[in-house]
Amino acid sequence: SPDSVDLPSLYLKTEVSVEVGGRLVPASTALANFQRALHVITAWNPGDARPTREENERANSQLLDRLTAMRLHPVRALGADPDSDHAEESWAVVGLSDDQARALGAEFGQVAVFRLADGVQTVLACFETWERSREL
C-alpha cells in the first residue's frame, strides 16, 4: 500500500542536477562550481496532486517570481527519479536557510526540498521534521 512507502528514502535517491554554464550538471559538479550550500525547490506535483504540465510550469514560474522577489538568483535545476523517466523542473538557490527553504516548499505544497552542501544531498521535509542525507 502507498502508506508503507518510505518517503524519506524515496526522495533521497532523487538525482538532482543544476544548471551551470548553460547546461544541467550533476549535483556534485554544481556544488564544486558554487562552493556554497544550494537549496533545490520545485512547485511541481504538490503533495498527492498530479497537475498537467502546463499547471506545473505555471506554479514553477510563480515560485521563480517568489525567489526573485526575495532577491535570490535562482538557476534551473531538475530532480529525476533514477528508477523511472519521472523528473521535475526545479530551482536551485544560494542564500536560504533550511527553515526558509522548508517554508517555501510548504508554501508550494511540497513534501520536501533538497539541500546540497559539502558533498552531501539532504532531503528536508516541509510539513514534518524528518530529514535524510546521503553522500553525492
Side-chain angles (χ1 to χ4, degrees):
S1 77
D3 293 337
S4 64
V5 170
D6 179 6
L7 274 180
S9 298
L10 203 61
Y11 276 84
L12 191 56
K13 66 181 184 172
T14 301
E15 292 175 351
V16 177
S17 50
V18 177
E19 188 174 296
V20 174
R23 63 190 186 97
L24 288 168
V25 299
S28 53
T29 306
L31 265 181
N33 186 276
F34 284 92
Q35 297 184 328
R36 289 182 65 191
L38 286 166
H39 284 92
V40 178
I41 307 169
T42 187
W44 276 55
N45 296 340
D48 294 328
R50 294 296 171 264
T52 64
R53 178 170 188 91
E54 288 75 20
E55 289 169 324
N56 276 326
E57 287 177 347
R58 188 161 49 248
N60 227 29
S61 174
Q62 290 168 344
L63 173 57
L64 175 62
D65 291 344
R66 184 86 172 73
L67 293 166
T68 305
M70 294 171 73
R71 296 203 159 97
L72 298 168
H73 303 282
V75 294
R76 210 162 54 92
L78 195 70
D81 175 0
D83 301 325
S84 77
D85 60 1
H86 180 73
E88 296 185 357
E89 294 174 14
S90 309
W91 301 106
V93 289
V94 166
L96 288 177
S97 68
D98 286 353
D99 285 345
Q100 287 174 311
R102 283 178 139 133
L104 274 167
E107 191 180 318
F108 286 85
Q110 297 299 307
V111 172
V113 295
F114 296 95
R115 177 183 68 226
L116 307 173
D118 303 319
V120 175
Q121 175 170 309
T122 302
V123 191
L124 305 165
C126 293
F127 291 101
E128 298 178 62
T129 54
W130 59 261
E131 59 179 75
R132 293 283 188 291
S133 298
R134 69 172 170 87
E135 291 189 7
L136 287 167

